[in-house]
């Protein structure tokens, strides 16, 4: 093995095993591990202005390009210095000159470089011509699309908004994208950001990013299947007597008519005051809840006692008729 200064040659023969400092016949895992170690050591960005290191780095690239490719490695092991036959010669580092400053860390650089040599997903079963090698099935292509979740406040989903999101960090540079959230977006909606997904190393191909939108809970409003709903507290007198009352909506106060004698759990509909949609605002639904005062005033207590005296029927009368379970 070589200690690191020059490429082992014999009459033009390049000993790629010695260049990578691995034993002859080493498996792919050992070859890759050696390449990672030596690339870290001799990369020009690690050793700037070092011509010897730059030359060594190109030798390492060339050796790895051959030994990591099963077909090139087979020809190399079989034919030695004549393995390329005038074609398929290793590049000697050409085409892999990459700016280390574009990567967040050295692992990103190494992974990208490995990808350029066909180590990424979907490359192992192909020859240089692009056709599957004999006895191999075409591997599943790398899925370049990515998905992320985005949780937004209820108000932003109702009115729509714009968000600036960081989608990728390259060294000191951060790639951002402006995202428009349409008014009335529904939970679990997927927004497509074209060309902002995963980057395929070595090719420049990039997939799409899909944002799955979720809504933060709101203390008043809830969204059920695109229908905006809320509980509406009614006083006992309002439920019994009915009439027009003022109610809140997402865009201010409105008036709704309460039928006399309305029961808890029944709904009131306010047309055109609900969730936005392409066809216009939907209806707003209120579910009636009777408000029972915790600390009634003496006057309220007196009126309630008088009501109890005047009441003509028991509120449990219907229940009493149906509650007894007779023996068979």
């Amino acid at each position: 093995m070589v200690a690191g200064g020059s490429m082992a040659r014999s009459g033009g023969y390049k000993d790629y095993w010695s260049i990578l400092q691995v034993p002859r016949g080493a498996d792919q895992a050992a070859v890759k591990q050696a390449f990672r170690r030596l690339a870290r050591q001799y990369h020009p960005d690690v050793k700037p202005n070092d011509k010897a290191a730059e030359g060594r780095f190109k030798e390492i690239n060339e050796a790895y390009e051959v030994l990591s490719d099963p077909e090139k490695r087979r020809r190399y092991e079989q034919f030695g210095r004549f393995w390329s036959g005038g074609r398929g010669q290793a590049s000697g580092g050409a085409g892999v000159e990459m700016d280390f400053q574009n990567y967040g860390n050295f692992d990103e650089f190494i992974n990208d470089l490995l990808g350029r040599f066909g180590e990424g997903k979907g490359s192992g079963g192909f020859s240089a011509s692009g056709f599957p090698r004999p006895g191999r099935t075409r591997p599943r292509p790398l899925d370049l699309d990515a998905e992320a979740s985005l949780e937004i406040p209820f108000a932003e989903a109702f009115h729509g908004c714009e968000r600036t999101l960081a989608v990728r960090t390259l060294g000191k540079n951060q790639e951002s994208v402006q995202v428009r959230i349409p008014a009335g977006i529904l939970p679990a909606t997927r927004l497509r950001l074209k060309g902002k997904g995963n980057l395929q190393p070595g090719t420049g191909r990039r997939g799409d990013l899909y944002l799955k939108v979720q809504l933060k809970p709101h203390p008043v409003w809830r969204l059920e299947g695109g229908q905006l709903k809320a509980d509406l507290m009614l006083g006992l007198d309002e439920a019994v007597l009915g009439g027009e009352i003022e109610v809140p909506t997402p865009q201010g106060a409105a008036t709704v008519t309460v039928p006399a004698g309305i029961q808890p759990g029944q709904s009131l509909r306010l047309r055109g005051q609900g969730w936005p949609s392409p066809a216009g605002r939907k209806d707003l639904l209120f579910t009636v809840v009777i408000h029972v005062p915790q600390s009634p005033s003496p006057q309220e207590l007196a009126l309630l006692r008088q009501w109890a005296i005047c009441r003509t029927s028991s509120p449990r009368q219907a229940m009493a008729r149906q509650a007894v379970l007779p023996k068979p």
Side-chain angles (χ1 to χ4, degrees):
M1 294 186 183
V2 299
S6 60
M7 178 180 290
R9 297 174 182 267
S10 177
Y13 173 71
K14 302 177 183 180
D15 190 341
Y16 294 138
W17 306 107
S18 294
I19 291 171
L20 290 182
Q21 299 180 5
V22 293
R24 186 173 299 274
D27 60 20
Q28 289 296 321
V31 169
K32 182 185 292 187
Q33 184 178 11
F35 171 74
R36 285 180 177 273
R37 175 176 55 81
L38 293 172
R40 290 175 185 273
Q41 182 178 351
Y42 291 102
H43 189 272
D45 286 320
V46 177
K47 292 187 175 183
N49 302 320
D50 188 332
K51 295 298 182 180
E54 182 179 351
R56 180 80 171 113
F57 182 69
K58 290 182 178 181
E59 292 178 350
I60 294 165
N61 284 341
E62 180 176 341
Y64 182 74
E65 183 177 358
V66 173
L67 296 184
S68 65
D69 184 293
E71 180 61 23
K72 290 181 180 179
R73 174 170 168 167
R74 182 189 64 79
R75 295 201 309 267
Y76 174 75
E77 291 175 333
Q78 183 175 0
F79 300 110
R81 62 177 293 186
F82 304 106
W83 71 271
S84 65
R87 54 182 176 85
Q89 184 79 27
S91 67
V96 294
E97 296 179 4
M98 302 151 70
D99 187 357
F100 184 65
Q101 300 301 319
N102 288 335
Y103 300 86
N105 53 54
F106 212 98
D107 286 330
E108 286 187 12
F109 164 76
I110 294 297
N111 290 335
D112 197 358
L113 196 58
L114 288 172
R116 295 189 178 215
F117 288 135
E119 287 293 307
K121 296 179 181 178
S123 63
F126 290 88
S127 65
S129 65
F131 293 99
R133 297 193 180 104
R136 300 195 184 189
T137 58
R138 183 181 295 272
R140 188 179 68 179
L142 173 65
D143 185 6
L144 296 180
D145 291 338
E147 185 168 308
S149 294
L150 175 64
E151 190 178 47
I152 62 175
F154 214 85
E156 291 186 1
F158 183 86
H159 293 289
C161 65
E162 287 192 355
R163 286 288 193 93
T164 301
L165 304 177
V167 295
R168 183 176 170 84
T169 300
L170 296 174
K172 299 178 181 179
N173 301 319
Q174 188 169 352
E175 180 185 358
S176 299
V177 62
Q178 195 80 6
V179 182
R180 188 181 69 84
I181 309 295
I185 193 169
L186 296 175
T189 297
R190 295 169 81 231
L191 297 177
R192 179 189 179 193
L193 305 182
K194 191 174 181 179
K196 299 299 180 182
N198 296 322
L199 181 66
Q200 188 176 50
T203 67
R205 292 182 58 235
R206 193 165 181 185
D208 299 333
L209 173 62
Y210 291 88
L211 289 178
K212 188 175 182 180
V213 178
Q214 301 293 350
L215 274 59
K216 294 181 180 179
H218 192 273
V220 173
W221 309 112
R222 60 182 182 272
L223 196 58
E224 299 177 4
Q227 187 74 62
L228 188 61
K229 297 182 178 181
D231 291 336
L232 179 63
M233 289 286 186
L234 294 180
L236 186 58
D237 57 313
E238 293 174 322
V240 173
L241 300 175
E244 290 190 346
I245 64 171
E246 187 178 271
V247 294
T249 77
Q251 292 186 301
T255 300
V256 66
T257 300
V258 179
I262 194 170
Q263 300 295 306
Q266 288 186 302
S267 296
L268 291 173
R269 183 182 297 270
L270 197 56
R271 297 195 178 278
Q273 297 294 320
W275 199 251
S277 74
R281 294 274 295 280
K282 297 182 179 180
D283 297 341
L284 175 58
L285 292 184
F286 289 110
T287 301
V288 172
V289 178
I290 302 300
H291 173 66
V292 179
Q294 296 288 328
S295 302
S297 67
Q299 185 178 7
E300 289 174 321
L301 288 173
L303 290 173
L304 286 170
R305 291 189 183 103
Q306 185 177 356
W307 187 0
I309 295 171
C310 298
R311 191 172 60 223
T312 57
S313 63
S314 169
R316 293 168 296 282
Q317 185 175 352
M319 179 183 178
R321 287 197 304 265
Q322 301 174 8
V324 176
L325 302 176
K327 293 182 179 180

